[in-house]
Amino acid sequence: MQNPAAPKLPHHVAIVMDGNGRWAQKRWLPRVAGHKQGVDALRRIVEASVQRGIRVLTVFAFSSENWSRPVDEVASLMDLLALALSREVPRLSETGVRLHFPGDRSRLSPRLAQGLASAEQATQGNDRLVLNVCFNYGGRWDMAQAAQRLADRGEAITEESLSATMALSHVPDPDLIIRTGGEQRISNFLLWQAAYAELVFSDCLWPEFDAEQLDLALAEYARRERRFGQTSAQRADATALTADAGPRDA
Protein backbone atom coordinates (compact mmCIF):
# COMPACT_ATOMS: atom_id res chain seq x y z
CA MET A 1 0.00 0.00 0.00
CA GLN A 2 1.27 3.49 -0.81
CA ASN A 3 2.57 5.53 2.10
CA PRO A 4 -0.17 8.12 2.87
CA ALA A 5 2.54 10.65 3.77
CA ALA A 6 4.29 10.29 0.41
CA PRO A 7 3.65 13.08 -2.12
CA LYS A 8 1.30 12.29 -4.96
CA LEU A 9 3.25 11.36 -8.05
CA PRO A 10 1.69 11.57 -11.52
CA HIS A 11 1.75 8.35 -13.49
CA HIS A 12 1.85 10.19 -16.81
CA VAL A 13 3.55 13.56 -17.35
CA ALA A 14 3.25 15.41 -20.67
CA ILE A 15 5.35 18.42 -21.64
CA VAL A 16 5.05 21.14 -24.28
CA MET A 17 8.75 21.87 -24.77
CA ASP A 18 8.56 25.57 -25.63
CA GLY A 19 11.26 28.23 -25.78
CA ASN A 20 14.09 26.72 -27.83
CA GLY A 21 14.07 29.50 -30.41
CA ARG A 22 13.85 32.30 -27.85
CA TRP A 23 16.67 30.73 -25.84
CA ALA A 24 18.88 30.86 -28.94
CA GLN A 25 17.83 34.37 -29.97
CA LYS A 26 18.66 35.73 -26.51
CA ARG A 27 22.22 34.49 -27.14
CA TRP A 28 22.41 35.72 -30.74
CA LEU A 29 22.51 32.12 -31.95
CA PRO A 30 20.58 30.49 -34.79
CA ARG A 31 17.30 28.91 -33.71
CA VAL A 32 18.60 25.43 -34.46
CA ALA A 33 21.13 25.89 -31.64
CA GLY A 34 18.19 26.16 -29.27
CA HIS A 35 16.69 22.96 -30.62
CA LYS A 36 20.00 21.17 -30.07
CA GLN A 37 20.05 22.37 -26.47
CA GLY A 38 16.46 21.21 -26.21
CA VAL A 39 17.57 17.64 -26.96
CA ASP A 40 19.98 17.87 -24.01
CA ALA A 41 17.14 19.13 -21.80
CA LEU A 42 14.96 16.20 -22.86
CA ARG A 43 17.76 13.79 -21.96
CA ARG A 44 17.90 15.34 -18.46
CA ILE A 45 14.15 15.11 -17.96
CA VAL A 46 13.98 11.50 -19.14
CA GLU A 47 16.66 10.58 -16.59
CA ALA A 48 14.91 12.57 -13.85
CA SER A 49 11.55 10.95 -14.68
CA VAL A 50 13.04 7.48 -14.41
CA GLN A 51 14.67 8.36 -11.09
CA ARG A 52 11.40 9.69 -9.66
CA GLY A 53 9.31 6.74 -10.74
CA ILE A 54 7.21 8.44 -13.41
CA ARG A 55 5.94 5.72 -15.70
CA VAL A 56 4.96 7.66 -18.84
CA LEU A 57 6.52 10.81 -20.30
CA THR A 58 5.02 12.42 -23.40
CA VAL A 59 6.67 15.37 -25.13
CA PHE A 60 5.55 17.63 -27.98
CA ALA A 61 8.51 17.63 -30.36
CA PHE A 62 6.98 18.81 -33.65
CA SER A 63 3.38 19.89 -34.18
CA SER A 64 1.24 19.66 -37.29
CA GLU A 65 1.47 23.46 -37.50
CA ASN A 66 5.29 23.56 -37.35
CA TRP A 67 5.48 22.86 -41.09
CA SER A 68 4.69 26.57 -41.56
CA ARG A 69 8.03 27.56 -39.99
CA PRO A 70 10.94 28.62 -42.23
CA VAL A 71 12.01 25.82 -44.56
CA ASP A 72 15.57 25.75 -43.25
CA GLU A 73 14.37 25.42 -39.65
CA VAL A 74 12.04 22.53 -40.54
CA ALA A 75 14.86 20.79 -42.40
CA SER A 76 17.16 21.28 -39.41
CA LEU A 77 14.55 19.77 -37.09
CA MET A 78 14.24 16.72 -39.32
CA ASP A 79 18.02 16.31 -39.39
CA LEU A 80 18.18 16.76 -35.63
CA LEU A 81 15.60 14.03 -35.06
CA ALA A 82 17.52 11.64 -37.30
CA LEU A 83 20.74 12.42 -35.42
CA ALA A 84 19.06 12.04 -32.05
CA LEU A 85 17.71 8.64 -33.06
CA SER A 86 21.16 7.34 -33.90
CA ARG A 87 22.75 8.74 -30.75
CA GLU A 88 20.06 8.42 -28.11
CA VAL A 89 18.16 5.20 -28.82
CA PRO A 90 20.90 2.82 -27.55
CA ARG A 91 21.28 4.87 -24.36
CA LEU A 92 17.53 5.05 -23.82
CA SER A 93 17.20 1.32 -24.35
CA GLU A 94 19.88 0.61 -21.74
CA THR A 95 17.92 2.80 -19.29
CA GLY A 96 14.75 0.75 -19.85
CA VAL A 97 12.89 3.34 -21.93
CA ARG A 98 10.30 2.24 -24.47
CA LEU A 99 9.86 4.68 -27.36
CA HIS A 100 6.71 5.62 -29.25
CA PHE A 101 6.37 8.34 -31.89
CA PRO A 102 2.69 9.32 -32.09
CA GLY A 103 1.90 11.44 -35.13
CA ASP A 104 1.25 11.48 -38.86
CA ARG A 105 4.22 9.94 -40.67
CA SER A 106 2.83 10.47 -44.18
CA ARG A 107 4.78 13.73 -44.62
CA LEU A 108 8.07 12.36 -43.31
CA SER A 109 10.79 11.04 -45.57
CA PRO A 110 10.80 7.24 -45.93
CA ARG A 111 14.21 7.15 -44.23
CA LEU A 112 13.01 9.12 -41.20
CA ALA A 113 9.76 7.17 -40.93
CA GLN A 114 11.75 3.93 -40.99
CA GLY A 115 14.06 5.30 -38.31
CA LEU A 116 11.09 5.96 -36.03
CA ALA A 117 9.70 2.47 -36.61
CA SER A 118 13.11 0.91 -35.96
CA ALA A 119 13.51 2.82 -32.69
CA GLU A 120 10.09 1.63 -31.54
CA GLN A 121 10.92 -1.95 -32.40
CA ALA A 122 14.34 -1.83 -30.74
CA THR A 123 12.88 -0.63 -27.43
CA GLN A 124 9.55 -2.49 -27.37
CA GLY A 125 10.68 -4.87 -24.60
CA ASN A 126 11.54 -2.09 -22.14
CA ASP A 127 9.17 -1.28 -19.30
CA ARG A 128 10.78 1.25 -16.97
CA LEU A 129 9.44 4.34 -18.75
CA VAL A 130 7.27 4.84 -21.82
CA LEU A 131 8.55 7.88 -23.74
CA ASN A 132 6.12 9.24 -26.32
CA VAL A 133 7.79 11.72 -28.64
CA CYS A 134 4.91 13.36 -30.52
CA PHE A 135 6.24 14.26 -33.96
CA ASN A 136 4.05 15.82 -36.66
CA TYR A 137 1.27 15.47 -34.12
CA GLY A 138 -1.80 17.58 -33.43
CA GLY A 139 -4.74 17.00 -31.13
CA ARG A 140 -7.26 17.75 -33.87
CA TRP A 141 -5.45 15.40 -36.26
CA ASP A 142 -5.54 12.68 -33.60
CA MET A 143 -9.30 12.96 -33.11
CA ALA A 144 -9.95 13.13 -36.85
CA GLN A 145 -7.78 10.12 -37.68
CA ALA A 146 -9.39 8.08 -34.91
CA ALA A 147 -12.89 8.94 -36.11
CA GLN A 148 -11.95 8.14 -39.72
CA ARG A 149 -10.51 4.75 -38.79
CA LEU A 150 -13.67 3.87 -36.88
CA ALA A 151 -15.83 5.02 -39.79
CA ASP A 152 -13.76 2.98 -42.26
CA ARG A 153 -14.32 -0.10 -40.10
CA GLY A 154 -18.02 0.62 -39.72
CA GLU A 155 -17.72 0.90 -35.95
CA ALA A 156 -19.78 3.21 -33.76
CA ILE A 157 -18.03 6.40 -32.72
CA THR A 158 -18.24 6.62 -28.93
CA GLU A 159 -15.99 8.05 -26.23
CA GLU A 160 -14.68 4.57 -25.52
CA SER A 161 -14.03 3.65 -29.16
CA LEU A 162 -12.36 6.99 -29.89
CA SER A 163 -10.10 6.66 -26.86
CA ALA A 164 -9.11 3.18 -27.98
CA THR A 165 -8.20 4.44 -31.47
CA MET A 166 -6.20 7.53 -30.50
CA ALA A 167 -2.48 7.72 -31.18
CA LEU A 168 -1.78 7.39 -27.44
CA SER A 169 -4.22 4.59 -26.70
CA HIS A 170 -1.30 2.50 -25.36
CA VAL A 171 -1.01 4.71 -22.24
CA PRO A 172 -3.45 6.26 -19.76
CA ASP A 173 -4.36 9.92 -20.15
CA PRO A 174 -1.84 12.41 -18.74
CA ASP A 175 -2.18 13.40 -15.10
CA LEU A 176 0.02 16.48 -15.45
CA ILE A 177 0.75 18.68 -18.47
CA ILE A 178 3.65 21.11 -18.20
CA ARG A 179 4.28 23.92 -20.67
CA THR A 180 7.60 25.73 -20.53
CA GLY A 181 8.51 29.09 -22.04
CA GLY A 182 5.97 31.30 -20.27
CA GLU A 183 3.02 30.77 -22.62
CA GLN A 184 -0.27 29.63 -21.08
CA ARG A 185 -1.98 27.47 -23.69
CA ILE A 186 -1.74 23.84 -24.83
CA SER A 187 -1.47 24.59 -28.57
CA ASN A 188 -3.33 21.60 -30.03
CA PHE A 189 -1.52 19.10 -27.79
CA LEU A 190 -3.42 16.05 -26.47
CA LEU A 191 -6.77 17.83 -26.74
CA TRP A 192 -8.78 14.68 -26.08
CA GLN A 193 -6.46 13.21 -23.48
CA ALA A 194 -6.07 16.47 -21.51
CA ALA A 195 -9.69 16.53 -20.34
CA TYR A 196 -8.81 16.09 -16.65
CA ALA A 197 -5.08 16.77 -16.64
CA GLU A 198 -3.60 19.26 -14.21
CA LEU A 199 -1.88 22.13 -16.05
CA VAL A 200 1.33 23.76 -14.87
CA PHE A 201 2.93 26.65 -16.78
CA SER A 202 6.60 27.43 -16.29
CA ASP A 203 8.42 30.62 -17.32
CA CYS A 204 11.59 28.57 -17.79
CA LEU A 205 12.68 28.20 -21.42
CA TRP A 206 12.92 24.55 -22.39
CA PRO A 207 16.72 24.37 -22.87
CA GLU A 208 17.08 25.50 -19.22
CA PHE A 209 14.46 23.11 -17.84
CA ASP A 210 16.04 20.61 -15.45
CA ALA A 211 15.28 18.23 -12.58
CA GLU A 212 14.75 21.13 -10.18
CA GLN A 213 12.15 22.68 -12.48
CA LEU A 214 10.48 19.29 -12.87
CA ASP A 215 10.31 18.92 -9.10
CA LEU A 216 8.63 22.33 -8.81
CA ALA A 217 5.94 21.16 -11.24
CA LEU A 218 5.54 17.86 -9.40
CA ALA A 219 5.20 19.72 -6.09
CA GLU A 220 2.48 21.91 -7.59
CA TYR A 221 0.71 18.80 -8.86
CA ALA A 222 0.87 17.22 -5.40
CA ARG A 223 -0.96 20.26 -3.97
CA ARG A 224 -3.86 19.91 -6.39
CA GLU A 225 -7.10 18.10 -5.60
CA ARG A 226 -8.28 16.08 -8.58
CA ARG A 227 -12.04 15.60 -8.38
CA PHE A 228 -12.98 14.39 -11.91
CA GLY A 229 -16.37 16.10 -11.67
CA GLN A 230 -17.10 14.88 -8.14
CA THR A 231 -17.12 16.76 -4.85
CA SER A 232 -14.24 16.78 -2.40
CA ALA A 233 -16.24 14.60 -0.03
CA GLN A 234 -16.90 12.01 -2.73
CA ARG A 235 -13.21 11.86 -3.65
CA ALA A 236 -12.27 11.46 0.02
CA ASP A 237 -14.74 8.58 0.39
CA ALA A 238 -13.37 6.91 -2.76
CA THR A 239 -9.81 7.24 -1.44
CA ALA A 240 -10.84 5.74 1.88
CA LEU A 241 -12.53 2.80 0.17
CA THR A 242 -9.43 2.18 -1.92
CA ALA A 243 -7.27 2.18 1.21
CA ASP A 244 -9.67 -0.18 3.01
CA ALA A 245 -9.51 -2.56 0.04
CA GLY A 246 -5.73 -2.90 0.34
CA PRO A 247 -3.90 -6.19 0.88
CA ARG A 248 -4.77 -8.16 4.01
CA ASP A 249 -3.37 -11.24 5.71
CA ALA A 250 -4.81 -14.48 4.37
Side-chain angles (χ1 to χ4, degrees), residues 55 68 107 129 135 151 200 205:
R55 302 295 296 171
S68 62
R107 292 189 65 177
L129 174 75
F135 200 85
V200 171
L205 300 176

Side-chain angles (χ1 to χ4, degrees), residues 88-99 119 122-126:
E88 302 295 332
V89 169
R91 183 184 320 186
L92 290 170
S93 189
E94 290 177 2
T95 308
V97 175
R98 180 174 184 176
L99 279 163
T123 61
Q124 64 181 350
N126 299 334

Side-chain angles (χ1 to χ4, degrees), residues 2 5 35 120 218 247:
Q2 185 178 9
H35 295 308
E120 290 176 334
L218 294 178

Side-chain angles (χ1 to χ4, degrees), residues 103-155:
D104 181 5
R105 300 185 191 179
S106 64
R107 292 189 65 177
L108 306 183
S109 70
R111 180 180 178 185
L112 185 53
Q114 180 57 48
L116 301 186
S118 296
E120 290 176 334
Q121 184 176 9
T123 61
Q124 64 181 350
N126 299 334
D127 60 4
R128 197 168 182 190
L129 174 75
V130 175
L131 174 59
N132 300 304
V133 181
C134 295
F135 200 85
N136 196 24
Y137 174 89
R140 291 178 175 179
W141 164 84
D142 198 2
M143 287 187 279
Q145 67 84 25
Q148 186 63 58
R149 287 171 61 190
L150 291 170
D152 290 345
R153 298 198 298 252
E155 298 181 23

Side-chain angles (χ1 to χ4, degrees), residues 190-221:
L190 304 182
L191 297 182
W192 179 271
Q193 298 87 347
Y196 281 101
E198 296 297 323
L199 307 180
V200 171
F201 299 102
S202 169
D203 290 330
C204 183
L205 300 176
W206 175 248
E208 299 171 345
F209 200 82
D210 56 16
E212 182 179 357
Q213 293 292 328
L214 176 63
D215 285 339
L216 289 174
L218 294 178
E220 175 60 29
Y221 171 85

Side-chain angles (χ1 to χ4, degrees), residues 3 8-9 15 31 38 181 192 216:
N3 180 1
K8 294 185 297 182
L9 185 71
I15 305 178
R31 289 176 60 88
W192 179 271
L216 289 174

Side-chain angles (χ1 to χ4, degrees), residues 8-200:
K8 294 185 297 182
L9 185 71
H11 180 91
H12 182 176
V13 174
I15 305 178
V16 180
M17 306 181 294
D18 191 24
N20 291 339
R22 281 174 286 156
W23 181 91
Q25 289 171 338
K26 285 173 61 177
R27 291 158 177 79
W28 301 97
L29 296 171
R31 289 176 60 88
V32 68
H35 295 308
K36 289 178 179 177
Q37 289 295 316
V39 173
D40 294 339
L42 179 56
R43 185 186 304 117
R44 293 195 299 266
I45 297 308
V46 169
E47 293 172 356
S49 297
V50 169
Q51 292 167 359
R52 283 150 183 75
I54 293 167
R55 302 295 296 171
V56 182
L57 176 65
T58 300
V59 296
F60 207 5
F62 188 87
S63 76
S64 306
E65 291 77 26
N66 285 157
W67 291 103
S68 62
R69 291 189 175 188
V71 174
D72 58 343
E73 182 176 350
V74 172
S76 295
L77 285 167
M78 297 298 165
D79 291 342
L80 186 58
L81 176 59
L83 181 62
L85 286 173
S86 63
R87 289 184 175 178
E88 302 295 332
V89 169
R91 183 184 320 186
L92 290 170
S93 189
E94 290 177 2
T95 308
V97 175
R98 180 174 184 176
L99 279 163
H100 287 270
F101 294 92
D104 181 5
R105 300 185 191 179
S106 64
R107 292 189 65 177
L108 306 183
S109 70
R111 180 180 178 185
L112 185 53
Q114 180 57 48
L116 301 186
S118 296
E120 290 176 334
Q121 184 176 9
T123 61
Q124 64 181 350
N126 299 334
D127 60 4
R128 197 168 182 190
L129 174 75
V130 175
L131 174 59
N132 300 304
V133 181
C134 295
F135 200 85
N136 196 24
Y137 174 89
R140 291 178 175 179
W141 164 84
D142 198 2
M143 287 187 279
Q145 67 84 25
Q148 186 63 58
R149 287 171 61 190
L150 291 170
D152 290 345
R153 298 198 298 252
E155 298 181 23
I157 297 176
T158 66
E159 289 190 23
E160 292 75 16
S161 64
L162 274 173
S163 291
T165 317
M166 292 285 180
L168 280 89
S169 61
H170 57 284
V171 293
D173 290 346
D175 304 293
L176 169 64
I177 296 178
I178 303 167
R179 180 172 184 143
T180 66
E183 304 290 355
Q184 298 190 13
R185 56 181 179 270
I186 58 175
S187 297
N188 198 22
F189 183 47
L190 304 182
L191 297 182
W192 179 271
Q193 298 87 347
Y196 281 101
E198 296 297 323
L199 307 180
V200 171

